Amino acid sequence: AAAAAAAAAARAASSQPQRDSRFNEVNDSDISTFEGMLGATHVLRDPSDVARYNEDWMGKYRGSSSTVLRPASTEEVSGILRYCNERMLAVVPQGGNTGLVGGSIPVFDEVVLSLERFHNVDDFDAVSGTLVCGAGCVLESLEHTANEHGFVMPLDLGAKGSCQIGGNISTNAGGLRFLRYGSLHGSVLGLRAVTGAGDELDLLTTLRKNNTGYDLKQLFIGSEGTLGVITAAALALPRASASVQTAFLGVRSFEAVLQVFQLAKQHLGEVLAAYEFLDRDSLELTVQHVPGVRDPLDDPLPFYIVIETRGSNADHDMEKLEGFLETGMETGAVHDGALAMDGQQASSFWALREGITEALRRAGPTLKYDLSVPLPILYELVEVCRERLGDAGDVYGYGHVGDGNLHLNVIAKDSVENVRNVLEPFVYDWTGSKRGSVSAEHGIGQMKAHVLDRSQTAASIALMRQLKGVFDPNGILNPYKVLV
Amino acid sequence: ANVKMSMKEEACSVVKTGVSRSRQGFAMRVLVGIKRVIDYAVKIRVKPDKSGVETANVKMSMNPFCEIAVEEAVRLKEAKHASEVVAVTVGPKASQEQLRTALAMGADRAIHVLHDDPLEPLSVAKVLGKVAEKEEAGLIMLGKQAIDGDNNQTGQILAGLLDWPQSTFASKVEIGKDGTAQITREIDGGLQTLSVKLPAVVTADLRLNVPRYATLPNIMKAKKKKIEQLGVADLGVEVTPRISIVEVNDPPVREGGVTVESVDELVTKLKDEAGVL
């Protein structure tokens, strides 16, 4: 037991997994079986076809899977998983592959189960705003469909052009509308999923209220494809707002960011839809790397806020917004700002916030930390990291401050490893000590499996392992992720 | 090709006697016409009865080319070529929002000619002409066209009614000291530079400038600026429409492309389906 504990500690410390020898390698007989199930076109073997499924969006992780399966029905997914259980083949479910914690790609030679062919919208009830669709639907195209009917998706994130709703749900994605529409735990009404053992679970109801036993769908939301594979979802969509107003504000300190947040909640109340912040360095980097983006204000300021309201009455909302902005300026909390006068200006303000991720990727290899931290000290960690790093790297702070979620990003000047050693596990330990979350919205994946214990107790993790054993007895689904 | 041309004989003669003290030069008042339209980013929906497009609950904004015109007018004032910028619009009560935007961008005051129904370019030009005379404008700036009608007529008709020179599709505006202006226009063959005698009508094209954002201090200041209300009747203008819209339809839906398996299949499709062989 001591040896096992030491081995676990060594693994956890290095966060480098070893290939689990219980898993077999894919052989020709397996390929024939898969081809029999799906047709040869949907069993990818050519290395050039399979390459993109093996690498994550950031180019940080690369697996060595030889096989990608593309089923088109829940039945096929069930068949695949049952077979993989018999043959002890590890499987990675994959949606849009835009995750930032290495959760959606193989670590070794796991078979990739792509949900890309589940791109059908099955039903949309324009009265209730209930959408039923396949897990492979791209978020942005669902947004367009919703807009046509006068609704919006309850979530929005920078990856919307590529991410799929199944992946969003499996990771309980947050994003820019979280402040207004809440978590997917609330917006998802039902799911169709296949457990790791290969059993189909039909939880695909469109009912708003259904207190009949344990709410199993909640376990699939946020478990990052380790308990089952989601194939379809039913979502409650909010109505599109007649009035959407966007403002870009500049303030002189992080305290001011928080003061203005209080004012916003007070004056804007129920029409406040988004409250994001970014620091000066993030703005400059984005202006530098993303074409067509510029600083809307005349003088440089240390912090900026993107604020959005959504309501049913433009006059009403403008009145509230102008009242809020006037008070902000009178109290001195808001130093300067601009109000978008049309849709294009609104998009340009959002581009300053949403473009940061792209800008970081272009600027260099980025270390990303996604943390929930108590609001008063949310930016403290950024300053502390800057001090610790000195010249070794540049630190950027931005994020969903309205949700208490900091995105801390670091670009190393020279050695990424050096920077990583300085920052890890320091950033996680610091966050844990403040009772924050080591992963506010990005999830655990393979990146943060070794620091799960900073935000969850041993008893909780033990219970999670038990549940894993219930849904995926052989542990074939997304191994080396979340619980290791 | 950069072609120097003159509009009329009178216009191309450069006045050598220095700064004019009349309506041009230091005391020049710029009148900017703006229009409230459906926001550029909104997806347009045709009404079920095909009488027009859906405007209920749809986001409305200042026409993008009008924004550019306002920006240019404000820049002229900042460069001391103009002494005052007056924004004017003809439209329903809600159009005041767009006048507030113009004021927030730097216009000094605004005029709202109240009229609930949409107006044709001829009617708008007549109204603007009366306002220009009333305000003794030395320069009128408009957007080249509104994104709802895409008519591209108002500026031209207005110049004709006032018998003023016109420079449409302006991508550069330079005010001279001699009561003239040099305007670079975007035309099919490239760029054309005109020298016009002021007062004149100039319509703004996309590349004239990038409009500034309305910043908070200016939005607050704009609240104190005056918006004068006028009726079409006050100006003595008759605006009965001469054109009626018969029907509005969506553009035909784009058909998806088809992949063919062989050259033979391609030829068959071109012959039998597309009918081009």
Side-chain angles (χ1 to χ4, degrees), chain A residues 148 294 296 322 325-326 329 336-339 341-343 345 348-349, chain B residues 39-40 43 45 61 67 101 210-211 213-217 219-220 223:
Chain A
E148 306 243 311
R294 69 188 213 270
E322 286 179 358
L325 292 170
E326 260 186 73
M329 299 225 37
D336 196 4
L339 189 53
M341 290 296 160
D342 59 37
Q345 290 190 349
S348 73
F349 292 165
Chain B
D39 189 287
Y40 171 71
K43 181 158 188 243
R45 235 163 293 183
S61 306
E67 278 182 29
T101 305
V210 177
Y213 294 104
T215 56
L216 297 185
I219 294 173
M220 300 303 151
K223 293 187 145 194

PDB file of all heavy atoms in Angstrom, chain A residues 148 294 296 322 325-326 329 336-339 341-343 345 348-349, chain B residues 39-40 43 45 61 67 101 210-211 213-217 219-220 223:
ATOM      1  N   GLU A 148     -33.036  32.490 -35.865  1.00  0.00           N
ATOM      2  CA  GLU A 148     -34.097  32.505 -36.876  1.00  0.00           C
ATOM      3  C   GLU A 148     -35.470  32.471 -36.221  1.00  0.00           C
ATOM      4  O   GLU A 148     -36.427  33.023 -36.744  1.00  0.00           O
ATOM      5  CB  GLU A 148     -34.004  31.261 -37.768  1.00  0.00           C
ATOM      6  CG  GLU A 148     -32.663  31.044 -38.402  1.00  0.00           C
ATOM      7  CD  GLU A 148     -32.735  31.122 -39.898  1.00  0.00           C
ATOM      8  OE1 GLU A 148     -33.637  30.462 -40.462  1.00  0.00           O
ATOM      9  OE2 GLU A 148     -31.913  31.838 -40.482  1.00  0.00           O
ATOM     10  N   ARG A 294      -9.090  47.677 -32.625  1.00  0.00           N
ATOM     11  CA  ARG A 294      -8.351  48.833 -32.089  1.00  0.00           C
ATOM     12  C   ARG A 294      -8.875  49.252 -30.724  1.00  0.00           C
ATOM     13  O   ARG A 294      -9.984  48.911 -30.341  1.00  0.00           O
ATOM     14  CB  ARG A 294      -8.430  50.010 -33.071  1.00  0.00           C
ATOM     15  CG  ARG A 294      -9.801  50.652 -33.204  1.00  0.00           C
ATOM     16  CD  ARG A 294      -9.794  51.681 -34.346  1.00  0.00           C
ATOM     17  NE  ARG A 294     -10.662  52.816 -34.102  1.00  0.00           N
ATOM     18  CZ  ARG A 294     -11.946  52.890 -34.451  1.00  0.00           C
ATOM     19  NH1 ARG A 294     -12.525  51.886 -35.045  1.00  0.00           N
ATOM     20  NH2 ARG A 294     -12.670  53.972 -34.186  1.00  0.00           N
ATOM     21  N   PRO A 296     -10.653  51.453 -28.350  1.00  0.00           N
ATOM     22  CA  PRO A 296     -11.678  52.470 -28.581  1.00  0.00           C
ATOM     23  C   PRO A 296     -11.443  53.764 -27.809  1.00  0.00           C
ATOM     24  O   PRO A 296     -12.054  54.787 -28.116  1.00  0.00           O
ATOM     25  CB  PRO A 296     -12.972  51.819 -28.084  1.00  0.00           C
ATOM     26  CG  PRO A 296     -12.633  50.437 -27.703  1.00  0.00           C
ATOM     27  CD  PRO A 296     -11.167  50.336 -27.547  1.00  0.00           C
ATOM     28  N   GLU A 322     -27.699  54.438 -19.261  1.00  0.00           N
ATOM     29  CA  GLU A 322     -27.178  55.803 -19.139  1.00  0.00           C
ATOM     30  C   GLU A 322     -27.105  56.225 -17.679  1.00  0.00           C
ATOM     31  O   GLU A 322     -26.154  56.888 -17.274  1.00  0.00           O
ATOM     32  CB  GLU A 322     -28.018  56.766 -19.978  1.00  0.00           C
ATOM     33  CG  GLU A 322     -27.712  56.588 -21.463  1.00  0.00           C
ATOM     34  CD  GLU A 322     -28.521  57.492 -22.375  1.00  0.00           C
ATOM     35  OE1 GLU A 322     -29.365  58.255 -21.870  1.00  0.00           O
ATOM     36  OE2 GLU A 322     -28.297  57.418 -23.599  1.00  0.00           O
ATOM     37  N   LEU A 325     -24.021  54.529 -16.319  1.00  0.00           N
ATOM     38  CA  LEU A 325     -22.777  55.126 -16.816  1.00  0.00           C
ATOM     39  C   LEU A 325     -22.547  56.501 -16.185  1.00  0.00           C
ATOM     40  O   LEU A 325     -21.420  56.837 -15.812  1.00  0.00           O
ATOM     41  CB  LEU A 325     -22.830  55.237 -18.341  1.00  0.00           C
ATOM     42  CG  LEU A 325     -22.794  53.900 -19.088  1.00  0.00           C
ATOM     43  CD1 LEU A 325     -23.086  54.097 -20.568  1.00  0.00           C
ATOM     44  CD2 LEU A 325     -21.468  53.197 -18.899  1.00  0.00           C
ATOM     45  N   GLU A 326     -23.625  57.268 -16.033  1.00  0.00           N
ATOM     46  CA  GLU A 326     -23.485  58.596 -15.405  1.00  0.00           C
ATOM     47  C   GLU A 326     -22.986  58.462 -13.989  1.00  0.00           C
ATOM     48  O   GLU A 326     -22.055  59.152 -13.578  1.00  0.00           O
ATOM     49  CB  GLU A 326     -24.843  59.300 -15.375  1.00  0.00           C
ATOM     50  CG  GLU A 326     -25.018  60.327 -16.471  1.00  0.00           C
ATOM     51  CD  GLU A 326     -26.304  61.115 -16.327  1.00  0.00           C
ATOM     52  OE1 GLU A 326     -26.354  61.959 -15.415  1.00  0.00           O
ATOM     53  OE2 GLU A 326     -27.226  60.863 -17.125  1.00  0.00           O
ATOM     54  N   MET A 329     -19.373  57.503 -13.862  1.00  0.00           N
ATOM     55  CA  MET A 329     -18.458  58.608 -14.149  1.00  0.00           C
ATOM     56  C   MET A 329     -18.439  59.607 -13.009  1.00  0.00           C
ATOM     57  O   MET A 329     -17.375  60.115 -12.649  1.00  0.00           O
ATOM     58  CB  MET A 329     -18.852  59.283 -15.464  1.00  0.00           C
ATOM     59  CG  MET A 329     -18.785  58.319 -16.616  1.00  0.00           C
ATOM     60  SD  MET A 329     -18.004  58.881 -18.134  1.00  0.00           S
ATOM     61  CE  MET A 329     -16.691  59.880 -17.622  1.00  0.00           C
ATOM     62  N   ASP A 336     -13.334  56.263 -18.294  1.00  0.00           N
ATOM     63  CA  ASP A 336     -13.709  56.576 -19.674  1.00  0.00           C
ATOM     64  C   ASP A 336     -14.425  55.359 -20.231  1.00  0.00           C
ATOM     65  O   ASP A 336     -14.430  54.282 -19.626  1.00  0.00           O
ATOM     66  CB  ASP A 336     -12.455  56.889 -20.509  1.00  0.00           C
ATOM     67  CG  ASP A 336     -12.781  57.585 -21.828  1.00  0.00           C
ATOM     68  OD1 ASP A 336     -13.969  57.897 -22.059  1.00  0.00           O
ATOM     69  OD2 ASP A 336     -11.848  57.810 -22.624  1.00  0.00           O
ATOM     70  N   GLY A 337     -15.039  55.521 -21.389  1.00  0.00           N
ATOM     71  CA  GLY A 337     -15.703  54.367 -21.984  1.00  0.00           C
ATOM     72  C   GLY A 337     -16.381  54.756 -23.271  1.00  0.00           C
ATOM     73  O   GLY A 337     -16.448  55.932 -23.620  1.00  0.00           O
ATOM     74  N   ALA A 338     -16.875  53.764 -23.979  1.00  0.00           N
ATOM     75  CA  ALA A 338     -17.594  54.017 -25.218  1.00  0.00           C
ATOM     76  C   ALA A 338     -18.816  53.112 -25.259  1.00  0.00           C
ATOM     77  O   ALA A 338     -18.781  51.993 -24.760  1.00  0.00           O
ATOM     78  CB  ALA A 338     -16.689  53.752 -26.416  1.00  0.00           C
ATOM     79  N   LEU A 339     -19.873  53.641 -25.853  1.00  0.00           N
ATOM     80  CA  LEU A 339     -21.114  52.872 -25.973  1.00  0.00           C
ATOM     81  C   LEU A 339     -21.284  52.514 -27.443  1.00  0.00           C
ATOM     82  O   LEU A 339     -21.188  53.385 -28.309  1.00  0.00           O
ATOM     83  CB  LEU A 339     -22.270  53.737 -25.479  1.00  0.00           C
ATOM     84  CG  LEU A 339     -23.650  53.128 -25.307  1.00  0.00           C
ATOM     85  CD1 LEU A 339     -23.603  51.887 -24.444  1.00  0.00           C
ATOM     86  CD2 LEU A 339     -24.581  54.160 -24.679  1.00  0.00           C
ATOM     87  N   MET A 341     -22.739  52.045 -30.890  1.00  0.00           N
ATOM     88  CA  MET A 341     -23.885  52.700 -31.517  1.00  0.00           C
ATOM     89  C   MET A 341     -24.525  51.830 -32.582  1.00  0.00           C
ATOM     90  O   MET A 341     -25.558  52.165 -33.121  1.00  0.00           O
ATOM     91  CB  MET A 341     -23.439  54.036 -32.123  1.00  0.00           C
ATOM     92  CG  MET A 341     -23.109  55.048 -31.039  1.00  0.00           C
ATOM     93  SD  MET A 341     -24.581  55.448 -30.069  1.00  0.00           S
ATOM     94  CE  MET A 341     -23.884  56.112 -28.590  1.00  0.00           C
ATOM     95  N   ASP A 342     -23.879  50.727 -32.939  1.00  0.00           N
ATOM     96  CA  ASP A 342     -24.495  49.793 -33.872  1.00  0.00           C
ATOM     97  C   ASP A 342     -23.896  48.404 -33.672  1.00  0.00           C
ATOM     98  O   ASP A 342     -22.992  48.226 -32.873  1.00  0.00           O
ATOM     99  CB  ASP A 342     -24.328  50.269 -35.329  1.00  0.00           C
ATOM    100  CG  ASP A 342     -22.880  50.436 -35.730  1.00  0.00           C
ATOM    101  OD1 ASP A 342     -22.033  49.623 -35.294  1.00  0.00           O
ATOM    102  OD2 ASP A 342     -22.581  51.379 -36.489  1.00  0.00           O
ATOM    103  N   GLY A 343     -24.427  47.424 -34.396  1.00  0.00           N
ATOM    104  CA  GLY A 343     -24.005  46.038 -34.230  1.00  0.00           C
ATOM    105  C   GLY A 343     -22.520  45.840 -34.496  1.00  0.00           C
ATOM    106  O   GLY A 343     -21.854  45.057 -33.827  1.00  0.00           O
ATOM    107  N   GLN A 345     -20.044  48.023 -34.050  1.00  0.00           N
ATOM    108  CA  GLN A 345     -19.243  48.528 -32.932  1.00  0.00           C
ATOM    109  C   GLN A 345     -19.321  47.557 -31.764  1.00  0.00           C
ATOM    110  O   GLN A 345     -18.323  47.300 -31.094  1.00  0.00           O
ATOM    111  CB  GLN A 345     -19.721  49.923 -32.519  1.00  0.00           C
ATOM    112  CG  GLN A 345     -19.402  50.990 -33.552  1.00  0.00           C
ATOM    113  CD  GLN A 345     -19.661  52.392 -33.038  1.00  0.00           C
ATOM    114  OE1 GLN A 345     -20.265  52.589 -31.994  1.00  0.00           O
ATOM    115  NE2 GLN A 345     -19.190  53.386 -33.781  1.00  0.00           N
ATOM    116  N   SER A 348     -17.040  44.841 -32.337  1.00  0.00           N
ATOM    117  CA  SER A 348     -15.632  45.239 -32.193  1.00  0.00           C
ATOM    118  C   SER A 348     -15.234  45.273 -30.723  1.00  0.00           C
ATOM    119  O   SER A 348     -14.099  44.943 -30.383  1.00  0.00           O
ATOM    120  CB  SER A 348     -15.371  46.594 -32.866  1.00  0.00           C
ATOM    121  OG  SER A 348     -15.934  47.635 -32.123  1.00  0.00           O
ATOM    122  N   PHE A 349     -16.171  45.640 -29.835  1.00  0.00           N
ATOM    123  CA  PHE A 349     -15.853  45.596 -28.406  1.00  0.00           C
ATOM    124  C   PHE A 349     -15.639  44.150 -27.975  1.00  0.00           C
ATOM    125  O   PHE A 349     -14.696  43.810 -27.255  1.00  0.00           O
ATOM    126  CB  PHE A 349     -16.970  46.218 -27.564  1.00  0.00           C
ATOM    127  CG  PHE A 349     -17.120  47.708 -27.741  1.00  0.00           C
ATOM    128  CD1 PHE A 349     -18.261  48.354 -27.291  1.00  0.00           C
ATOM    129  CD2 PHE A 349     -16.135  48.464 -28.345  1.00  0.00           C
ATOM    130  CE1 PHE A 349     -18.421  49.729 -27.445  1.00  0.00           C
ATOM    131  CE2 PHE A 349     -16.287  49.838 -28.510  1.00  0.00           C
ATOM    132  CZ  PHE A 349     -17.439  50.471 -28.054  1.00  0.00           C
TER     133      PHE A 349
ATOM    134  N   ASP B  39     -30.182  47.902 -38.281  1.00  0.00           N
ATOM    135  CA  ASP B  39     -28.752  47.718 -38.035  1.00  0.00           C
ATOM    136  C   ASP B  39     -28.119  46.779 -39.077  1.00  0.00           C
ATOM    137  O   ASP B  39     -28.703  45.761 -39.441  1.00  0.00           O
ATOM    138  CB  ASP B  39     -28.545  47.133 -36.626  1.00  0.00           C
ATOM    139  CG  ASP B  39     -27.082  47.112 -36.224  1.00  0.00           C
ATOM    140  OD1 ASP B  39     -26.329  46.271 -36.757  1.00  0.00           O
ATOM    141  OD2 ASP B  39     -26.689  47.931 -35.387  1.00  0.00           O
ATOM    142  N   TYR B  40     -26.950  47.177 -39.512  1.00  0.00           N
ATOM    143  CA  TYR B  40     -26.216  46.434 -40.540  1.00  0.00           C
ATOM    144  C   TYR B  40     -26.038  44.957 -40.191  1.00  0.00           C
ATOM    145  O   TYR B  40     -26.048  44.089 -41.054  1.00  0.00           O
ATOM    146  CB  TYR B  40     -24.861  47.115 -40.720  1.00  0.00           C
ATOM    147  CG  TYR B  40     -23.876  46.374 -41.578  1.00  0.00           C
ATOM    148  CD1 TYR B  40     -24.069  46.285 -42.948  1.00  0.00           C
ATOM    149  CD2 TYR B  40     -22.743  45.779 -41.030  1.00  0.00           C
ATOM    150  CE1 TYR B  40     -23.151  45.615 -43.747  1.00  0.00           C
ATOM    151  CE2 TYR B  40     -21.836  45.125 -41.825  1.00  0.00           C
ATOM    152  CZ  TYR B  40     -22.038  45.039 -43.178  1.00  0.00           C
ATOM    153  OH  TYR B  40     -21.130  44.383 -43.956  1.00  0.00           O
ATOM    154  N   LYS B  43     -30.071  40.206 -39.335  1.00  0.00           N
ATOM    155  CA  LYS B  43     -30.523  39.399 -40.476  1.00  0.00           C
ATOM    156  C   LYS B  43     -31.921  39.880 -40.865  1.00  0.00           C
ATOM    157  O   LYS B  43     -32.847  39.837 -40.066  1.00  0.00           O
ATOM    158  CB  LYS B  43     -30.548  37.926 -40.078  1.00  0.00           C
ATOM    159  CG  LYS B  43     -30.973  37.049 -41.231  1.00  0.00           C
ATOM    160  CD  LYS B  43     -30.527  35.597 -41.094  1.00  0.00           C
ATOM    161  CE  LYS B  43     -30.835  34.875 -42.415  1.00  0.00           C
ATOM    162  NZ  LYS B  43     -31.786  33.798 -42.294  1.00  0.00           N
ATOM    163  N   ARG B  45     -35.589  40.067 -42.358  1.00  0.00           N
ATOM    164  CA  ARG B  45     -36.647  39.094 -42.614  1.00  0.00           C
ATOM    165  C   ARG B  45     -37.780  39.778 -43.375  1.00  0.00           C
ATOM    166  O   ARG B  45     -38.214  40.869 -42.994  1.00  0.00           O
ATOM    167  CB  ARG B  45     -37.166  38.561 -41.289  1.00  0.00           C
ATOM    168  CG  ARG B  45     -37.115  37.076 -41.190  1.00  0.00           C
ATOM    169  CD  ARG B  45     -37.231  36.608 -39.774  1.00  0.00           C
ATOM    170  NE  ARG B  45     -36.073  36.989 -38.999  1.00  0.00           N
ATOM    171  CZ  ARG B  45     -35.906  36.637 -37.724  1.00  0.00           C
ATOM    172  NH1 ARG B  45     -36.821  35.935 -37.123  1.00  0.00           N
ATOM    173  NH2 ARG B  45     -34.840  37.008 -37.064  1.00  0.00           N
ATOM    174  N   SER B  61     -30.135  51.373 -36.147  1.00  0.00           N
ATOM    175  CA  SER B  61     -28.922  52.172 -35.902  1.00  0.00           C
ATOM    176  C   SER B  61     -28.800  53.249 -36.965  1.00  0.00           C
ATOM    177  O   SER B  61     -29.591  53.296 -37.901  1.00  0.00           O
ATOM    178  CB  SER B  61     -27.675  51.287 -35.976  1.00  0.00           C
ATOM    179  OG  SER B  61     -27.777  50.195 -35.141  1.00  0.00           O
ATOM    180  N   GLU B  67     -22.794  57.609 -40.631  1.00  0.00           N
ATOM    181  CA  GLU B  67     -21.804  57.695 -39.539  1.00  0.00           C
ATOM    182  C   GLU B  67     -20.507  58.272 -40.076  1.00  0.00           C
ATOM    183  O   GLU B  67     -19.869  59.099 -39.434  1.00  0.00           O
ATOM    184  CB  GLU B  67     -21.506  56.309 -38.969  1.00  0.00           C
ATOM    185  CG  GLU B  67     -22.508  55.818 -37.962  1.00  0.00           C
ATOM    186  CD  GLU B  67     -22.126  54.444 -37.391  1.00  0.00           C
ATOM    187  OE1 GLU B  67     -20.928  54.131 -37.324  1.00  0.00           O
ATOM    188  OE2 GLU B  67     -23.057  53.712 -37.019  1.00  0.00           O
ATOM    189  N   THR B 101     -26.754  60.125 -31.193  1.00  0.00           N
ATOM    190  CA  THR B 101     -25.468  59.516 -31.551  1.00  0.00           C
ATOM    191  C   THR B 101     -24.595  60.531 -32.273  1.00  0.00           C
ATOM    192  O   THR B 101     -23.411  60.676 -31.975  1.00  0.00           O
ATOM    193  CB  THR B 101     -25.673  58.291 -32.453  1.00  0.00           C
ATOM    194  OG1 THR B 101     -26.548  57.387 -31.810  1.00  0.00           O
ATOM    195  CG2 THR B 101     -24.355  57.601 -32.739  1.00  0.00           C
ATOM    196  N   VAL B 210     -12.786  56.175 -40.633  1.00  0.00           N
ATOM    197  CA  VAL B 210     -13.342  55.196 -39.705  1.00  0.00           C
ATOM    198  C   VAL B 210     -13.996  55.989 -38.584  1.00  0.00           C
ATOM    199  O   VAL B 210     -13.308  56.717 -37.856  1.00  0.00           O
ATOM    200  CB  VAL B 210     -12.251  54.273 -39.118  1.00  0.00           C
ATOM    201  CG1 VAL B 210     -12.855  53.310 -38.108  1.00  0.00           C
ATOM    202  CG2 VAL B 210     -11.549  53.509 -40.229  1.00  0.00           C
ATOM    203  N   PRO B 211     -15.330  55.905 -38.451  1.00  0.00           N
ATOM    204  CA  PRO B 211     -16.004  56.742 -37.459  1.00  0.00           C
ATOM    205  C   PRO B 211     -15.541  56.449 -36.042  1.00  0.00           C
ATOM    206  O   PRO B 211     -15.265  55.300 -35.690  1.00  0.00           O
ATOM    207  CB  PRO B 211     -17.486  56.359 -37.608  1.00  0.00           C
ATOM    208  CG  PRO B 211     -17.589  55.676 -38.911  1.00  0.00           C
ATOM    209  CD  PRO B 211     -16.272  55.052 -39.189  1.00  0.00           C
ATOM    210  N   TYR B 213     -15.861  56.111 -31.918  1.00  0.00           N
ATOM    211  CA  TYR B 213     -16.882  55.595 -31.013  1.00  0.00           C
ATOM    212  C   TYR B 213     -17.464  56.777 -30.241  1.00  0.00           C
ATOM    213  O   TYR B 213     -16.788  57.775 -30.039  1.00  0.00           O
ATOM    214  CB  TYR B 213     -16.268  54.614 -30.023  1.00  0.00           C
ATOM    215  CG  TYR B 213     -15.744  53.356 -30.661  1.00  0.00           C
ATOM    216  CD1 TYR B 213     -14.376  53.165 -30.840  1.00  0.00           C
ATOM    217  CD2 TYR B 213     -16.606  52.343 -31.088  1.00  0.00           C
ATOM    218  CE1 TYR B 213     -13.887  52.006 -31.423  1.00  0.00           C
ATOM    219  CE2 TYR B 213     -16.123  51.186 -31.668  1.00  0.00           C
ATOM    220  CZ  TYR B 213     -14.765  51.027 -31.839  1.00  0.00           C
ATOM    221  OH  TYR B 213     -14.280  49.875 -32.411  1.00  0.00           O
ATOM    222  N   ALA B 214     -18.699  56.635 -29.803  1.00  0.00           N
ATOM    223  CA  ALA B 214     -19.296  57.652 -28.932  1.00  0.00           C
ATOM    224  C   ALA B 214     -18.795  57.383 -27.525  1.00  0.00           C
ATOM    225  O   ALA B 214     -19.149  56.377 -26.918  1.00  0.00           O
ATOM    226  CB  ALA B 214     -20.819  57.550 -28.985  1.00  0.00           C
ATOM    227  N   THR B 215     -17.928  58.251 -27.018  1.00  0.00           N
ATOM    228  CA  THR B 215     -17.371  58.000 -25.689  1.00  0.00           C
ATOM    229  C   THR B 215     -18.237  58.646 -24.615  1.00  0.00           C
ATOM    230  O   THR B 215     -18.978  59.594 -24.881  1.00  0.00           O
ATOM    231  CB  THR B 215     -15.935  58.538 -25.576  1.00  0.00           C
ATOM    232  OG1 THR B 215     -15.945  59.921 -25.901  1.00  0.00           O
ATOM    233  CG2 THR B 215     -15.019  57.793 -26.528  1.00  0.00           C
ATOM    234  N   LEU B 216     -18.108  58.124 -23.408  1.00  0.00           N
ATOM    235  CA  LEU B 216     -19.010  58.503 -22.328  1.00  0.00           C
ATOM    236  C   LEU B 216     -19.069  60.004 -22.046  1.00  0.00           C
ATOM    237  O   LEU B 216     -20.174  60.557 -21.949  1.00  0.00           O
ATOM    238  CB  LEU B 216     -18.652  57.740 -21.052  1.00  0.00           C
ATOM    239  CG  LEU B 216     -18.811  56.226 -21.162  1.00  0.00           C
ATOM    240  CD1 LEU B 216     -18.558  55.564 -19.825  1.00  0.00           C
ATOM    241  CD2 LEU B 216     -20.182  55.856 -21.666  1.00  0.00           C
ATOM    242  N   PRO B 217     -17.922  60.681 -21.907  1.00  0.00           N
ATOM    243  CA  PRO B 217     -18.027  62.116 -21.628  1.00  0.00           C
ATOM    244  C   PRO B 217     -18.834  62.834 -22.714  1.00  0.00           C
ATOM    245  O   PRO B 217     -19.633  63.714 -22.413  1.00  0.00           O
ATOM    246  CB  PRO B 217     -16.572  62.601 -21.626  1.00  0.00           C
ATOM    247  CG  PRO B 217     -15.755  61.386 -21.444  1.00  0.00           C
ATOM    248  CD  PRO B 217     -16.527  60.244 -22.003  1.00  0.00           C
ATOM    249  N   ILE B 219     -21.156  61.445 -24.683  1.00  0.00           N
ATOM    250  CA  ILE B 219     -22.560  61.040 -24.592  1.00  0.00           C
ATOM    251  C   ILE B 219     -23.263  61.900 -23.545  1.00  0.00           C
ATOM    252  O   ILE B 219     -24.402  62.347 -23.747  1.00  0.00           O
ATOM    253  CB  ILE B 219     -22.692  59.545 -24.238  1.00  0.00           C
ATOM    254  CG1 ILE B 219     -22.142  58.693 -25.377  1.00  0.00           C
ATOM    255  CG2 ILE B 219     -24.142  59.164 -23.964  1.00  0.00           C
ATOM    256  CD1 ILE B 219     -22.067  57.218 -25.056  1.00  0.00           C
ATOM    257  N   MET B 220     -22.559  62.145 -22.427  1.00  0.00           N
ATOM    258  CA  MET B 220     -23.146  62.975 -21.370  1.00  0.00           C
ATOM    259  C   MET B 220     -23.344  64.402 -21.871  1.00  0.00           C
ATOM    260  O   MET B 220     -24.400  65.002 -21.672  1.00  0.00           O
ATOM    261  CB  MET B 220     -22.241  62.983 -20.130  1.00  0.00           C
ATOM    262  CG  MET B 220     -21.992  61.619 -19.505  1.00  0.00           C
ATOM    263  SD  MET B 220     -23.546  60.793 -19.048  1.00  0.00           S
ATOM    264  CE  MET B 220     -23.057  59.069 -19.200  1.00  0.00           C
ATOM    265  N   LYS B 223     -26.349  65.099 -24.189  1.00  0.00           N
ATOM    266  CA  LYS B 223     -27.680  65.224 -23.590  1.00  0.00           C
ATOM    267  C   LYS B 223     -28.085  66.676 -23.449  1.00  0.00           C
ATOM    268  O   LYS B 223     -29.273  66.992 -23.469  1.00  0.00           O
ATOM    269  CB  LYS B 223     -27.709  64.572 -22.213  1.00  0.00           C
ATOM    270  CG  LYS B 223     -27.533  63.092 -22.277  1.00  0.00           C
ATOM    271  CD  LYS B 223     -27.730  62.454 -20.928  1.00  0.00           C
ATOM    272  CE  LYS B 223     -28.373  61.104 -21.087  1.00  0.00           C
ATOM    273  NZ  LYS B 223     -28.865  60.620 -19.828  1.00  0.00           N
TER     274      LYS B 223
END
